[in-house]
């Protein structure tokens, strides 16, 4: 079955085309065009304008790279949420017009569960605990009823951030340091030179809290009471250890022996090294996702569309559609 997936939840407009069967996802193409701004960050209205402007061109590129005609494509899937409202509508309207024109089935999918599903299929994992750490999200997730291969079980969030996502927290501190956006990779580079200082470590049961850690780092920096490199190193060590603690507890409770890291913060080598150590110590396997599939793109939307094609909600867009509502 050939599915075309459209992603538009945030700054990326992407179209991926896959050839899918029960246990295999072959990516034929994964084209995208991302909105960027050097100083002001993401303005939702501007992002929607960007997506409308580039959509036709990205589609042309995708069809030509995949060497496919419309007759060969079975269905169209699109990201229905969560995300920025104007960006979601731009993607939905494009997908709907296309489905009407080409007479194809239109499948709404959840952006977050698409990140999880693509992580699972490319690693051939069986029944993992997912650690989803992006700009906005920091969640420990499992899927129920995985043993029934013909049914997609419900997702359950076992733990999450109670305030901001880890990526956003790193980006905020990077902004204080005047490092620009995205800040995560820049903090990672500086952290390599630093040493450990003690900072707030906030784990509440299965949840974490990042604002105390961020405030303390900001204060120490502004008062010149710690060096930038020590702060970058120690911020990472604390945030990573807190998150790994709840992920490990989820593995212990559920007795699962696979962990998949998805989301943009997964690019951080130190984070992966710490997760690898934790998994090794408990005889579990750690997986992450290659950079080409870690960020937002259309192939993961197409694969999630394949998984949901026989049972999906009647909807247009939902900016607040949570993983545990899927
Ligand atoms: P996403 O929301 O999944 O697109 O991920 C974007 C987030 O990942 C941003 O907050 C980035 O700062 C963060 N990020 C990207 N690369 C790294 C890295 N090497 N280390 C830490 N955070 C990163
Ligand atoms: Mg994403």
């Amino acid at each position: 079955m050939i599915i075309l997936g459209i992603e538009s939840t945030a700054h990326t407009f992407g179209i991926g085309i896959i050839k899918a069967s029960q246990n295999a996802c072959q990516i034929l193409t994964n084209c995208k065009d991302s909105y960027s701004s050097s100083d002001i960050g993401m303005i939702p209205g501007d992002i929607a304008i960007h997506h409308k402007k580039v959509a036709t061109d990205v589609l042309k590129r995708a069809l030509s790279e995949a060497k496919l005609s419309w007759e060969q494509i079975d269905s169209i899937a699109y990201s229905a949420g969560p995300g920025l409202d104007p960006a979601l509508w731009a993607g939905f309207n494009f997908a709907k017009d296309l489905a009407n024109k080409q007479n194809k089935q239109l499948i709404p999918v959840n952006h977050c569960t698409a990140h999880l599903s693509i992580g699972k299929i490319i690693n051939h994992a069986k029944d993992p605990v997912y650690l989803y750490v992006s700009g906005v999200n920091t969640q420990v997730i499992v899927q129920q009823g995985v043993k029934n291969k013909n049914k997609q079980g419900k997702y359950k969030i076992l733990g999450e951030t109670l305030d901001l996502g880890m990526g956003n927290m790193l980006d905020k501190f990077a902004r204080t340091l005047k490092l620009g956006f995205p800040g995560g990779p820049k903090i990672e580079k500086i952290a390599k030179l630093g040493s450990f200082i003690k900072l707030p470590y906030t784990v509440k049961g299965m949840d974490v809290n990042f604002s105390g850690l961020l405030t303390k780092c900001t204060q120490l920096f502004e008062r010149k009471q710690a060096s930038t490199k020590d702060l970058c190193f120690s911020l990472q060590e604390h945030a990573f250890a807190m998150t790994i603690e709840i992920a490990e507890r989820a593995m212990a409770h559920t007795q699962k022996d696979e962990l998949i890291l998805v989301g943009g913060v997964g690019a951080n080598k130190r984070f992966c090294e710490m997760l690898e150590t934790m998994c090794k110590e408990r005889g579990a396997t750690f997986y992450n996702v290659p950079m080409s599939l870690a960020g937002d793109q259309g192939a993961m939307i197409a694969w999630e569309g394949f998984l949901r094609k026989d049972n999906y909600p009647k909807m247009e867009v939902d900016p607040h559609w949570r993983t545990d509502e899927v």
Side-chain angles (χ1 to χ4, degrees):
M1 187 168 187
I2 305 230
I3 305 201
L4 181 145
I6 300 177
E7 160 58 29
S8 78
T9 56
H11 68 303
T12 297
F13 183 87
I15 295 189
I17 305 178
I18 62 160
K19 190 171 178 193
S21 60
Q22 198 54 46
N23 292 312
C25 169
Q26 186 191 350
I27 297 171
L28 304 177
T29 183
N30 211 3
C31 294
K32 59 183 178 180
D33 190 311
S34 298
Y35 166 92
S36 66
S37 85
S38 53
D39 45 3
I40 43 182
M42 292 207 272
I43 299 172
D46 288 357
I47 291 174
I49 293 170
H50 164 267
H51 291 355
K52 284 181 208 159
K53 206 168 91 193
V54 303
T56 307
D57 186 51
V58 176
L59 175 64
K60 252 193 218 148
R61 269 200 287 141
L63 289 172
S64 126
E65 268 184 30
K67 299 188 178 61
L68 288 172
S69 66
W70 274 107
E71 291 81 69
Q72 294 165 286
I73 295 172
D74 296 289
S75 306
I76 297 173
Y78 71 98
S79 260
L84 300 168
D85 194 60
L88 290 172
W89 282 105
F92 167 68
N93 286 327
F94 186 75
K96 188 179 70 175
D97 289 349
L98 213 52
N100 284 340
K101 193 169 151 207
Q102 304 297 343
N103 198 22
K104 305 289 175 192
Q105 176 192 33
L106 183 62
I107 310 167
V109 306
N110 181 288
H111 173 91
C112 300
T113 62
H115 271 296
L116 309 183
S117 302
I118 198 78
K120 183 179 177 191
I121 185 72
I122 61 149
N123 285 303
H124 301 289
K126 289 182 191 69
D127 184 13
V129 168
Y130 298 94
L131 180 55
Y132 178 24
V133 190
S134 64
V136 187
N137 296 285
T138 303
Q139 294 180 329
V140 180
I141 303 161
V142 291
Q143 191 175 25
Q144 295 168 323
V146 172
K147 300 241 153 55
N148 183 348
K149 286 205 166 58
N150 299 319
K151 214 169 152 260
Q152 285 298 310
K154 272 199 88 62
Y155 286 101
K156 208 171 156 65
I157 298 171
L158 298 182
E160 63 187 315
T161 175
L162 297 174
D163 44 29
L164 66 176
M166 196 202 291
N168 285 359
M169 187 273 291
L170 295 170
D171 293 336
K172 275 179 194 243
F173 188 57
R175 188 175 284 185
T176 301
L177 300 178
K178 301 216 169 11
L179 295 176
F181 175 88
K186 295 182 176 126
I187 289 182
E188 177 177 27
K189 208 164 159 208
I190 298 172
K192 293 203 174 98
L193 311 166
S195 315
F196 188 84
I197 49 176
K198 202 166 179 300
L199 297 169
Y201 181 99
T202 322
V203 174
K204 296 178 178 174
M206 286 298 291
D207 298 320
V208 292
N209 221 311
F210 291 121
S211 43
L213 177 60
L214 175 63
T215 304
K216 185 72 183 177
C217 283
T218 307
Q219 283 172 351
L220 289 172
F221 173 74
E222 283 169 352
R223 293 173 189 164
K224 299 189 173 51
Q225 289 170 332
S227 69
T228 301
K229 53 185 201 282
D230 288 354
L231 285 172
C232 287
F233 176 76
S234 307
L235 175 67
Q236 280 197 170
E237 294 299 298
H238 283 77
F240 295 165
M242 282 156 53
T243 311
I244 293 169
E245 180 184 327
I246 60 168
E248 180 169 24
R249 196 171 302 128
M251 293 176 83
H253 279 315
T254 58
Q255 297 184 335
K256 294 189 195 295
D257 58 6
E258 298 168 307
L259 180 82
I260 301 186
L261 175 63
V262 298
V265 183
N268 189 294
K269 298 247 161 47
R270 175 65 182 146
F271 194 24
C272 290
E273 180 187 69
M274 289 168 77
L275 282 161
E276 180 92 57
T277 305
M278 179 273 280
C279 286
K280 212 168 169 187
E281 278 174 3
R282 49 183 304 110
T285 311
F286 169 64
Y287 299 110
N288 62 2
V289 180
M291 273 328 286
S292 59
L293 295 176
D296 294 348
Q297 28 73 34
M300 70 176 189
I301 304 303
W303 175 245
E304 183 69 6
F306 173 75
L307 297 175
R308 305 278 164 188
K309 68 185 181 337
D310 300 324
N311 185 15
Y312 53 86
K314 245 189 147 56
M315 66 188 294
E316 294 180 324
V317 308
D318 179 355
H320 306 291
W321 191 11
R322 272 175 63 90
T323 304
D324 47 6
E325 293 168 334
V326 173

